[in-house]
């Protein structure tokens, strides 16, 4: 500690400290006493406390600083110096004297300091006792306040992270103090106010006006099932240099007093759950995925576990008979509870509910109901002893069952469960579950109807498409049909191979625009008609003309078709096209020819004649007939796709079956976006 600088320049006060620090509130004087009890060091704080300038006190006996000084000595000074030398550290209170003669009570700390090779010096720290008492009182008050105050107290930094709080607030939040420290406010609170509470805190942290007695609705994560109303007051915290600003706050739980706000908060939360469910449920037309979306949307805000089951009616017109067991098929499940709750919700696929079960009660009224999981519930509803044991050990304390009713028919049931750590389902929860199930039921029924239509269309399509093609010694064939993605898997692509009586062979491929049952039906109509017309040995152009008339009469607005007749006696093929992609010919020398002389308009348009083109096919030439799904892909030009097909076909060197697989693997995206037909036909001439 240096002595005062010469000249008595003005410097920082007592011990210089940052604004807002404890040392700024309690001035501390620093001085040194040598082995002869004379003042040898004099700090600026000592000047302020005792009134002496450095030149007036340095080298003088330390006794001048004490009230009991007499003839240059002071028992107080001697005691302070001696204790500092012998004990190494001493503290106590003594009566000091200011230069003006005023005596005042002062707290002292003394300790010995030894320099390198020099005599030891007793360093003395001193402060007025009334200043120390004031700070001690304040600190004691703050300690007692944080320990015993029933009001929640908190200090939050400018990032809204907890830096200090009392036990009362920790109890309100349902989490220990240690779980708060360093975490953000939104990690402790579940809010449903669109961020208004956080914006209010940030405004205060940035130096805004204090907030006094504002009522807010919150849900602590430590009590996720318990909404609270709190009266909160926040004020900006003063900051020391180099530290960050923050917010101090007081919180009082006024839930019982402000029940209306609590109910409004719960209503907003229910609406938020319904709103979120509306956007999350029904994103696909898959029954199982839709059911799982309902399960996921209900957890964890509404329940701890959920299952969706489809009722296995004999038929849709069957009336519910409460005297008969009810069979369901579980298609979705989930839980946030540990084992064995996971096994409880996912351990079965087909469920049997005996007469008199809670499920029967729900179906009898057609409304959602809740029940406590007790011995009576288990005896009425759970059939097997093993399932009874698992449910008893799962932690599920109450069940809420809601019917999935759509278009007047009970499609299934949705079950929601809560553990004993949460309150039982209230009447508002029952209403919410009913609304949630009602919305989900429509989505499930839409998915069910779509699946049914898809099944019908698939059945129709599979019945109309050939499983095997005609056999002839003059044409070797590899054929592929690849359905599109889930939404478009039933389309109007078709193909056939027909043997004519004189050894000629017909190859035909077509594509009805659209998907679904109507496209499959139109495809079947055209395929059957083409097969019948081919027996009359019409020219390809004439046959397409007849097919065009049939398409118009059947209301088929747009379809493409390529019709080709190969004569093995001459090695020539006659073909006509109704707006279909051109066929390709792989010649034995490896060159690929595009037969683009045939154009024509699609079937169903009418009013435009078709034209027959003749080409010569050498022995072992390979024809490629296909639909546009093979060459037309989103983000890729048709000509680019056609070039890619020519390149794949020209690679050759494999059997027809291997070539077909390689072409599809090289050109189709994964998953395919449209139906695709590919026919590879290797021709042979009749021996003479």
């Amino acid at each position: 500690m240096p002595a005062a600088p010469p000249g008595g320049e003005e410097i920082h006060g007592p011990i210089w400290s940052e604004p807002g620090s404890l040392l700024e509130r309690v001035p501390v004087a620093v001085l040194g006493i040598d082995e002869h009890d004379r003042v040898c060091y004099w700090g600026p704080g000592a000047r302020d406390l005792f009134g002496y300038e450095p030149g007036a006190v340095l080298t003088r006996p330390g006794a001048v600083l004490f009230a009991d000084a007499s003839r240059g000595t002071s028992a107080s000074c001697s005691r302070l110096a001696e204790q500092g030398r012998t004990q190494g550290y001493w503290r106590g209170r003594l009566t000091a004297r200011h230069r003006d003669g005023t005596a005042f009570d002062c707290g002292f700390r003394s300790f010995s300091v030894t320099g390198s090779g020099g005599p030891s010096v007793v360093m003395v720290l001193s402060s007025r006792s009334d200043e120390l008492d004031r700070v001690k009182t304040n600190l004691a008050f703050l300690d007692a306040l944080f320990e015993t105050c029933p009001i929640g107290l908190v200090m939050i930094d400018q990032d809204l992270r907890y830096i200090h709080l009392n036990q009362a607030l920790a109890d309100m939040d349902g989490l220990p103090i240690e779980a708060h420290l360093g975490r953000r406010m939104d990690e402790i609170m579940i809010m449903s106010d669109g961020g208004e509470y956080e914006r209010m805190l940030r405004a205060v942290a940035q130096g805004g006006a204090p907030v006094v007695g504002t009522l807010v609705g919150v849900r602590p994560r430590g009590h996720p099932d318990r909404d609270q109303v709190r009266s909160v007051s926040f004020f900006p915290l003063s900051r020391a240099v180099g530290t960050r600003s923050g917010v101090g706050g007081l919180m009082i739980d006024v839930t019982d007093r402000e029940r209306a706000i609590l109910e409004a908060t719960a209503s907003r939360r229910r609406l938020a759950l319904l709103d979120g469910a509306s956007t999350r449920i029904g994103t696909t037309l898959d029954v199982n995925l839709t059911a799982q979306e309902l399960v996921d949307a209900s957890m964890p805000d509404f329940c701890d576990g959920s299952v969706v089951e489809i009722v296995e009616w004999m038929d849709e017109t069957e009336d519910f008979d409460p005297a008969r067991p009810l069979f369901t098929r579980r298609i979705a499940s989930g839980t946030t509870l540990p084992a064995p709750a996971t096994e409880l919700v996912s351990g079965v696929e087909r469920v049997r509910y005996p007469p008199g079960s809670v499920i029967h009660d729900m179906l009898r009224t057609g409304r959602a109901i809740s029940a406590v999981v007790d011995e009576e519930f288990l005896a009425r509803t759970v059939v097997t002893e093993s399932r009874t044991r698992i449910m008893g050990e799962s932690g599920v304390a109450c069940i809420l069952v809601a019917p999935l009713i759509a278009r007047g028919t009970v499609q299934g049931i949705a079950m929601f469960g809560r553990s004993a750590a949460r309150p039982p389902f209230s009447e508002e929860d029952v209403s919410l579950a009913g609304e949630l199930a009602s919305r989900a039921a429509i989505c499930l029924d839409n998915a069910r109807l779509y699946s049914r239509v898809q099944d019908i269309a698939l059945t129709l399509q599979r019945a109309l498409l050939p499983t095997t093609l005609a056999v002839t010694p003059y044409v070797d064939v590899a054929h592929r049909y690849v359905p599109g993605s889930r939404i478009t898997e039933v389309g109007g692509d078709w193909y056939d191979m027909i043997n004519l009586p004189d050894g000629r062979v017909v190859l035909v491929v077509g594509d009805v625009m659209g998907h679904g049952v109507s496209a499959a039906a139109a495809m079947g109509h055209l395929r059957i008609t083409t097969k019948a017309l081919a027996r009359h040995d019409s020219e390809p152009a004439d046959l397409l003309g007849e097919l065009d008339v049939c398409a118009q009469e059947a209301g088929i607005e747009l379809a493409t078709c390529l019709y080709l007749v190969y004569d093995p006696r001459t090695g020539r093929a006659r073909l006509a096209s109704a707006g279909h992609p051109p066929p390709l010919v792989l010649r034995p020398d490896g060159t690929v020819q595009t037969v683009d002389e045939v154009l024509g308009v699609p079937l169903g348009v009418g009013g435009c004649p078709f034209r027959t083109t003749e080409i010569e096919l050498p022995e072992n030439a390979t024809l490629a007939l296909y639909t546009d799904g093979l060459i037309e892909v989103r983000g890729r030009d048709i000509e680019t796709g056609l070039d890619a097909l020519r390149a794949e076909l020209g690679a050759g060197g494999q059997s027809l079956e291997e070539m077909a697989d390689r072409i599809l693997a090289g050109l189709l995206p994964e998953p395919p976006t449209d139906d695709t037909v590919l026919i590879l036909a290797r021709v042979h001439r009749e021996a003479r």
Side-chain angles (χ1 to χ4, degrees), residues 521-534:
M523 173 270 289
H525 184 92
L526 291 178
R527 178 172 176 262
I528 294 170
T529 304
T530 302
K531 200 157 192 172
L533 291 173

Side-chain angles (χ1 to χ4, degrees), residues 54 131 141 219 240 289 353 444 474 476 528 537 549:
E131 294 288 345
F141 172 76
R219 177 177 287 189
L289 288 178
Y353 294 104
L444 280 170
Y474 306 115
D476 300 327
I528 294 170
D537 196 18
V549 173

Side-chain angles (χ1 to χ4, degrees), residues 378-392:
L378 295 173
R380 291 176 55 196
T381 306
V382 184
V383 176
T384 63
E385 182 178 346
S386 61
R387 299 298 295 176
T388 300
R389 176 182 54 78
I390 293 174
M391 177 165 277

Side-chain angles (χ1 to χ4, degrees), residues 93 216 260 270 454 572 622:
R93 293 198 176 194
V216 296
R270 288 192 289 269
Q454 289 295 90
R572 303 189 71 81
T622 302

Side-chain angles (χ1 to χ4, degrees), residues 98 100 158 168 171 185 369 379 422 479 543 600 623 639 661:
H98 192 271
D100 63 8
Q158 63 182 15
D171 293 340
M185 180 271 296
I369 60 174
R422 302 175 69 162
H479 57 98
L543 184 140
L623 279 163
E639 284 300 323
D661 290 338

Side-chain angles (χ1 to χ4, degrees), residues 145-166:
L145 184 65
F146 267 82
E147 287 290 334
T148 63
C149 180
I151 297 174
L153 303 174
V154 66
M155 294 172 63
I156 303 175
D157 67 16
Q158 63 182 15
D159 292 327
L160 306 189
R161 297 183 185 276
Y162 290 83
I163 56 177
H164 196 23
L165 70 154
N166 67 344

Side-chain angles (χ1 to χ4, degrees), residues 22 134-144:
L22 181 62
R134 178 178 60 82
V135 172
K136 287 182 178 180
T137 300
N138 289 343
L139 291 176
F141 172 76
L142 290 175
D143 287 342

Side-chain angles (χ1 to χ4, degrees), residues 439-498:
R439 297 189 184 192
I442 297 297
C443 297
L444 280 170
D445 197 48
N446 288 339
R448 180 185 64 85
L449 293 176
Y450 172 78
S451 297
R452 177 176 296 179
V453 171
Q454 289 295 90
D455 290 342
I456 294 172
L458 281 171
T459 302
L460 177 60
Q461 184 186 50
R462 289 165 182 163
L464 295 174
L465 282 175
T467 54
T468 58
L469 296 182
V471 178
T472 173
Y474 306 115
V475 180
D476 300 327
V477 176
H479 57 98
R480 298 286 188 273
Y481 171 78
V482 180
S485 63
R486 179 70 180 172
I487 299 300
T488 61
E489 65 180 352
V490 181
D493 291 19
W494 59 283
Y495 61 98
D496 212 340
M497 178 173 168
I498 307 166

